[in-house]
Amino acid sequence: MFTGIVEEVGEIVDVRQSGEVVVLTVRGPRVSGDAAHGDSIAVNGCCLTVADPGGAQGDEFRLELVPETLKRTSLGGAAPGVKVNLERALQAGARLGGHIVQGHVDGVGTLLERTPGERSDEVRFSLPPDLARYVVEKGSITVDGVSLTVAGTDGDTFSVALIPTTLADTTLGLRAPGDPVNLEVDVVAKYVERLTAGYVGGPAPARRAPEQPQDQHGQDGAK
């Protein structure tokens, strides 16, 4: 679990193909400082597992991207030199500064328009049609791993207002119209939809058949 509060902007330094798996080497001195094999790190909002901490420079770590990740996120276009938002998994007892973020990317949107202000920017993104119902004004959404408040919605688009800190401390200050971004909607909205579907005219959740009682050895309890 993450919070959508980016800890540092890292850089992809190497991309290698190993069969159907793509191996990324990412430089991020802060998040790699205590990274261990098997740890979770969100890279542009995608929860990935550290396969090799440390790296040649001591401030790098390697990640393995399977076809499912490459298909469902913008990381399929990863290349050396690309900047990425990095966040380590949330520690129990830490402040939840953003919102509950799983690191499970729901879809890829596109930056459509940005309107610079004196110190802040208003940015509009496209939204995959199947995700639009989960996005509401003043609700939360994760864009490339950044927890943001939705400023407005219009059909299959939404807008956010980026404060100076977000512009300076995340890759959203670098993004231009046409760039793809990873999107994760609020998981609470998805659970609410699932749980209420049978009461508001939607399809009721499938029910599992009752299981036979089991004894302590895993055999059917009925004799």
Side-chain angles (χ1 to χ4, degrees):
M1 182 185 296
F2 305 89
T3 70
I5 304 300
V6 172
E7 294 187 83
E8 72 173 320
V9 174
E11 180 180 352
I12 296 173
V13 296
D14 188 56
V15 180
R16 297 186 183 184
Q17 192 83 31
S18 179
E20 80 280 13
V21 174
V22 171
V23 181
L24 291 186
T25 302
V26 179
R27 179 173 297 125
R30 183 172 184 180
V31 303
S32 65
D34 62 353
H37 177 82
D39 281 356
S40 294
I41 293 178
V43 180
N44 275 359
C46 181
C47 178
L48 298 173
T49 301
V50 175
D52 179 19
Q57 304 300 320
D59 59 356
E60 302 171 352
F61 54 95
R62 291 188 177 87
L63 307 158
E64 297 169 328
L65 309 183
V66 297
E68 178 74 2
T69 303
L70 298 171
K71 179 177 67 175
R72 291 183 176 271
T73 76
S74 65
L75 293 177
V82 171
K83 303 293 186 180
V84 288
N85 295 320
L86 302 176
E87 181 190 356
R88 289 169 290 188
L90 176 67
Q91 291 183 316
R95 290 186 176 90
L96 188 63
H99 70 285
I100 296 173
V101 176
Q102 294 181 295
H104 301 163
V105 174
D106 290 306
V108 177
T110 302
L111 195 158
L112 300 175
E113 180 184 17
R114 69 185 310 147
T115 305
E118 184 177 348
R119 296 189 60 212
S120 63
D121 284 4
E122 183 171 325
V123 186
R124 188 165 62 92
F125 298 94
S126 69
L127 190 62
D130 60 330
L131 298 181
R133 64 186 183 274
Y134 302 117
V135 181
V136 297
E137 186 174 339
K138 304 306 179 186
S140 295
I141 191 167
T142 309
V143 179
D144 269 353
V146 184
S147 173
L148 297 170
T149 300
V150 177
T153 63
D154 183 8
D156 295 337
T157 71
F158 70 97
S159 59
V160 297
L162 304 182
I163 64 174
T165 297
T166 303
L167 293 172
D169 294 348
T170 78
T171 62
L172 295 184
L174 307 172
R175 294 282 183 242
D179 286 348
V181 291
N182 292 324
L183 302 175
E184 181 185 334
V185 299
D186 191 346
V187 67
V188 175
K190 293 191 287 185
Y191 277 120
V192 169
E193 178 186 61
R194 178 71 170 174
L195 291 169
T196 61
Y199 302 95
V200 293
R207 295 183 179 275
R208 295 178 58 187
E211 298 180 354
Q212 291 290 332
Q214 302 280 310
D215 66 15
Q216 61 181 351
H217 300 294
Q219 302 298 320
D220 288 348
K223 301 298 183 183

